[in-house]
Amino acid sequence: EAEVAQSPRYKITEKSQAVAFWCDPISGHATLYWYRQILGQGPELLVQFQDESVVDDSQLPKDRFSAERLKGVDSTLKIQPAELGDSAMYLCASSLYDVGETQYFGPGTRLLVL
Amino acid sequence: GENVEQHPSTLSVQEGDSAVIKCTYSDSASNYFPWYKQELGKGPQLIIDIRSNVGEKKDQRIAVTLNKTAKHFSLHITETQPEDSAVYFCAASMGSARQLTFGSGTQLTVLP
């Protein structure tokens, strides 16, 4: 069964450092999402890609967060500089076409900022 | 934007009993309502979804009902088993490139 891959699974960093997360969606899925999930809460969308284009990044803190999906396949989410409040689970999901299709989530990257 | 409220935040049931989780949404334009199960340390997994042109959908022990007039939808799990223990999230979307808005989650514990 095809799955969304994410790495690393865990990341510990100090504040002001740069961190990067990688996601490889299910093959053939045009839409890719990055979510942030704070402990005890539901996932919140950070950015949505359709192929290589950003569809929605209204909730992405653009002063420190950036995301790219250069070839329309895998994607990288970067935080620079990391702040204590960035500690959370970062989830990647993909769907075949758009939000109305099933979103399949990866295992996530647990980030701890010290 | 859309707002999804989910209740209860925690739910404990005896094995074999039924569990019901309820969600309300604010935007009447929402038309897609998935439910996800998240086990500790894992990403959410879709367990069932429903679209606004359907009032009820069932898959073995899991069912979802939708009341568009009242803007609420519910997850029903029958004959609960210990492996059903997890956090369950509801979500709503207006579809077609509109984002999913998630509820705050329900920690379900099935007691053996």
Side-chain angles (χ1 to χ4, degrees):
Chain A
E1 180 177 304
E3 295 180 341
V4 176
Q6 288 189 249
S7 67
R9 292 293 311 277
Y10 305 93
K11 180 70 177 179
I12 300 175
T13 190
E14 295 183 344
K15 63 179 181 179
S16 80
Q17 296 298 305
V19 292
F21 313 129
W22 177 80
C23 172
D24 192 13
I26 293 172
S27 179
H29 280 197
T31 310
L32 184 148
Y33 315 80
W34 283 102
Y35 289 88
R36 177 169 57 188
Q37 184 178 26
I38 296 171
L39 194 63
Q41 299 181 20
E44 293 181 325
L45 182 72
L46 290 174
V47 61
Q48 177 183 338
F49 288 91
Q50 186 71 24
D51 298 310
E52 67 276 9
S53 300
V54 173
V55 173
D56 184 351
D57 64 355
S58 57
Q59 301 302 313
L60 188 71
K62 298 182 187 63
D63 57 335
R64 299 185 299 108
F65 286 65
S66 64
E68 60 183 17
R69 193 184 184 197
L70 295 176
K71 298 183 179 179
V73 181
D74 58 339
S75 175
T76 301
L77 178 69
K78 297 179 181 178
I79 308 175
Q80 182 174 18
E83 296 181 352
L84 297 179
D86 296 332
S87 295
M89 173 81 90
Y90 290 83
L91 293 162
C92 179
S94 70
S95 63
L96 194 56
Y97 295 117
D98 65 23
V99 178
E101 303 286 338
T102 300
Q103 292 189 27
Y104 296 90
F105 282 82
T109 296
R110 172 73 68 185
L111 173 67
L112 178 61
V113 182
L114 302 176
Chain B
E2 176 66 277
N3 182 50
V4 177
E5 294 191 355
Q6 183 172 346
H7 300 280
S9 57
T10 60
L11 179 60
S12 292
V13 299
Q14 289 294 137
E15 182 177 359
D17 287 350
S18 295
V20 180
I21 302 171
K22 299 181 179 181
C23 289
T24 60
Y25 60 99
S26 61
D27 196 323
S28 57
S30 289
N31 58 12
Y32 175 61
F33 308 92
W35 285 89
Y36 285 85
K37 175 183 180 182
Q38 187 173 26
E39 297 176 334
L40 196 61
K42 298 184 178 180
Q45 179 184 15
L46 180 78
I47 56 172
I48 196 167
D49 58 9
I50 192 168
R51 298 181 189 276
S52 59
N53 57 346
V54 174
E56 183 174 357
K57 184 176 179 180
K58 189 173 181 179
D59 183 3
Q60 299 182 335
R61 297 186 297 109
I62 296 173
V64 57
T65 59
L66 171 65
N67 183 327
K68 288 177 57 180
T69 302
K71 291 189 285 187
H72 68 69
F73 55 113
S74 301
L75 178 71
H76 304 253
I77 306 174
T78 59
E79 302 172 20
T80 54
Q81 302 167 3
E83 51 265 39
D84 294 329
S85 296
V87 179
Y88 291 81
F89 291 98
C90 62
S93 165
M94 287 179 274
S96 188
R98 303 296 182 91
Q99 65 175 280
L100 272 179
T101 300
F102 284 82
S104 54
T106 297
Q107 173 69 62
L108 174 64
T109 302
V110 180
L111 305 170

